[in-house]
Amino acid sequence: TVKTDLRDEYPFGLCAVPLKEVVRVHASSGTTGKPITGPYTAEDLDQWSQCMARNFVAAGVGSEDIVQNAYGYGLFTGGLGAHYGIERLGATVVPMGGGQTEKQVGLITDLKPRGIMMTPSYMLNILEAYYRLGIDPRGSSLEIAVFGAEPWTEAMRKEIEDAFNLNAVDIYGLSEVMGPGVANECVETKDGPTIWEDHFYPEIINPETGEVVEDGESGELVFTTLTKEALPLIRYRTRDLTRLLPGTARSMRRMEKITGRTDDMIILRGVNVFPTQVEEQVMATAGLGPYFQIELFKANRMDRMRVHVEIDVQFQGAAKDQTARILAKRIKDFIGVSAEVNVGDPGAVARSQGKAVRVVDNRDEE
Ligand code: DLL
């Protein structure tokens, strides 16, 4: 099953129960054309909350903890999905939602949550607010962060863990299959999300041929739902690229941290580039802040890439030209493509309050 199957049947064509049994609908925004709707029965919501509660236990959150939920509430599955999971666990949810960044800092300071969840790119925004307000992030009550909804690298994990002195774990899911709650990393090992295989049967296929590959080999992740009522899916192609790995902290299998989606892959003069590869190099370049955006454009009919980054607030004296040259060289050496690098002042790169927009494609505009 592919995304267009769901889109073609918008809004309820694939709903497998009478509509009167549906008690909630979520929808994915979909940048192009019609959205995709996810109907849920009461039983689906119950399973979802259970899976989410299981995620929090894996993350190291307990029933005595307070968790600030900064995922967007509404049609996006992140906010409400996490919300009911925190309640199901018996922990205390702070239903903050996304945005109002300084208020997020205020709530952390006042309510002293032990856990927090949001996209990792939004956490960078919150980190910046700490610096702006002159508050030491390492002094916060936060011990566990549950980050997902977008790809993020080990380098980003280290950046945020060190800045706040906390453990950051990866949460994975997608609206079509359920929302968050499909897989979550265990805090003991932090070695890729454990897939809740009793609800979601995973396979990895070769995205070109559709053939199933062995565990340990890379390819596209495919799910068959085992317990969903309103929108059961058979062999749904996620377009996410990963590998299946044996269980470690739990007996169920893990997926490797997602490096990219087939849709996000940039092909620059024949070289495949994922935004996460650029993220790694930005993080490894001294003097740069952790914010970046990739711009694709055409010059003399050739596809070109420009990476927008900025000087780290802590290193305001850093030389822009020299830092740009260092990053451009790293991109050439480690990724194999030539890129222009534009180093701006702190704040020059657009900030995210949810999923970050990593690539801006201006190739049609020459
Ligand atoms: O992003 C569900 C979610 C909410 C997951 C909150 C985690 C936390 P969608 O908006 O439908 O659903 O987007 C799903 O986001 O196919 C992946 O490409 C990407 N994605 C989600 N989690 C991760 C992750 C939610 N941990 C799409 N790492 C998926 C990398 C992720 N990519």
Side-chain angles (χ1 to χ4, degrees):
T1 313
V2 293
K3 203 178 253 264
T4 45
D5 293 324
L6 303 187
R7 198 163 273 148
D8 292 348
E9 296 297 332
Y10 173 80
F12 295 123
L14 287 181
C15 186
V17 298
L19 267 181
K20 70 174 176 41
E21 288 176 27
V22 171
V23 298
R24 196 196 296 167
V25 182
H26 281 278
S28 71
S29 42
T31 40
T32 48
K34 288 188 271 181
I36 289 173
T37 32
Y40 298 78
T41 65
E43 181 63 24
D44 288 334
L45 292 183
D46 192 58
Q47 302 271 22
W48 189 9
S49 300
Q50 274 183 42
C51 286
M52 282 303 299
R54 207 190 273 182
N55 282 2
F56 290 116
V57 173
V61 176
S63 58
E64 66 289 354
D65 291 329
I66 299 177
V67 182
Q68 186 155 321
N69 181 17
Y71 278 119
Y73 279 70
L75 288 174
F76 177 52
T77 51
L80 288 170
H83 181 99
Y84 288 107
I86 298 165
E87 289 189 352
R88 173 63 60 94
L89 178 64
T92 306
V93 61
V94 182
M96 177 60 204
Q100 293 183 274
T101 307
E102 295 193 357
K103 185 166 176 178
Q104 303 265 7
V105 178
L107 281 176
I108 298 169
T109 308
D110 297 343
L111 307 186
K112 306 203 175 359
R114 186 166 167 260
I116 195 154
M117 47 197 318
M118 66 185 76
T119 57
S121 60
Y122 187 45
M123 191 66 168
L124 291 178
N125 224 331
I126 293 194
L127 176 61
E128 194 176 37
Y130 267 87
Y131 294 141
R132 196 163 55 238
L133 295 167
I135 307 174
D136 177 10
R138 291 181 70 85
S140 91
S141 57
L142 298 175
E143 291 177 28
I144 298 169
V146 186
F147 292 146
E150 64 186 9
W152 54 301
T153 57
E154 290 297 336
M156 173 83 92
R157 183 188 331 243
K158 189 164 185 328
E159 170 98 21
I160 297 174
E161 286 191 335
D162 290 350
F164 283 94
N165 187 27
L166 51 67
N167 276 306
V169 298
D170 195 11
I171 178 170
Y172 169 84
L174 63 164
S175 328
E176 301 93 302
V177 170
M178 168 176 266
V182 175
N184 204 96
E185 210 165 39
C186 299
V187 72
E188 306 91 305
T189 45
K190 293 196 267 187
D191 54 359
T194 298
I195 300 171
W196 308 128
E197 289 191 78
D198 49 342
H199 294 282
F200 311 102
Y201 179 73
E203 293 172 274
I204 300 286
I205 62 166
N206 175 326
E208 263 124 54
T209 64
E211 266 168 55
V212 177
V213 304
E214 298 278 317
D215 279 15
E217 280 181 41
S218 304
E220 180 179 344
L221 182 60
V222 169
F223 281 113
T224 296
T225 65
L226 303 177
T227 48
K228 275 183 70 188
E229 292 183 338
L231 190 66
L233 291 171
I234 297 177
R235 307 196 74 220
Y236 183 71
R237 294 183 62 158
T238 64
R239 305 192 201 180
D240 293 322
L241 301 170
T242 183
R243 305 189 291 151
L244 288 178
L245 301 167
T248 47
R250 298 289 187 281
S251 51
M252 293 181 199
R253 279 178 291 178
R254 287 170 298 137
M255 54 194 269
E256 187 172 57
K257 204 164 179 353
I258 295 214
T259 39
R261 298 167 60 78
T262 47
D263 320 27
D264 289 345
M265 191 173 78
I266 300 162
I267 304 179
L268 202 69
R269 299 191 296 281
V271 182
N272 299 346
V273 183
F274 286 101
T276 46
Q277 291 175 286
V278 175
E279 180 176 299
E280 277 173 357
Q281 299 314 322
V282 173
M283 297 285 178
T285 307
L288 289 180
Y291 313 91
F292 73 98
Q293 195 165 55
I294 299 168
E295 179 192 354
L296 302 176
F297 63 102
K298 268 199 158 78
N300 300 324
R301 285 197 249 139
M302 293 278 279
D303 285 350
R304 303 288 299 272
M305 181 165 108
R306 188 180 288 131
V307 180
H308 297 272
V309 286
E310 58 183 56
I311 290 291
D312 193 337
V313 252
Q314 325 267 23
F315 291 86
Q316 297 235 18
K320 287 184 184 159
D321 289 356
Q322 197 195 345
T323 315
R325 272 197 301 277
I326 293 170
L327 178 58
K329 183 167 187 318
R330 292 192 71 99
I331 291 173
K332 181 78 196 170
D333 290 350
F334 290 96
I335 311 177
V337 293
S338 303
E340 284 176 31
V341 172
N342 176 23
V343 181
D345 290 324
V349 178
R351 301 294 192 253
S352 113
Q353 299 206 330
K355 298 191 192 227
V357 179
R358 293 303 193 195
V359 182
V360 175
D361 193 344
N362 294 328
R363 281 177 294 185
D364 294 338
E365 288 177 13
E366 192 181 26

